[in-house]
Amino acid sequence: QVQLVESGGGLVQAGDSLRLTCVASGLTFTSYAMGWFRQAPGKEREFVASINWGGGYRYYDDSVKGRFTISRDNAKNTMYLQMNSLKSADTAVYYCAADMNGGHYDYWGQGTQVTVSS
């Protein structure tokens, strides 16, 4: 059974930092590209960042470029999202997802709430 479990969310002030963690189990982690998405209240889920299986290719939405860093540790089946200089607009539930076939995310976590107060 595939499981993606996010953690690390919380309530912070604008300008603060958080690191989200996604631990994967039940799959061959190195077979998957991984991504972070977020969904704010009343809005559709949106792409935040992605990383290929080896970590050599990383992509970011323009809204987080230069502030967020995605990384992965394949030995630990774990992906991270380091979020710096947080803004109130970053408030959302953050989800991790696994993509085996390029562009289609097969598995999703339950999400972790990030709330940034201004």
Side-chain angles (χ1 to χ4, degrees), residues 5-12 17-21 36-42 81 83 86-96 109-117:
V5 179
E6 305 95 334
S7 63
L11 172 61
V12 297
S17 298
L18 277 176
R19 188 176 79 156
L20 304 184
T21 298
W36 287 101
F37 293 77
R38 66 187 180 186
Q39 187 167 20
L81 185 68
M83 306 187 296
L86 283 161
K87 307 174 181 179
S88 57
D90 296 318
T91 294
V93 177
Y94 284 72
Y95 299 90
C96 69
Q110 292 299 306
T112 185
Q113 176 71 47
V114 172
T115 303
V116 184
S117 64

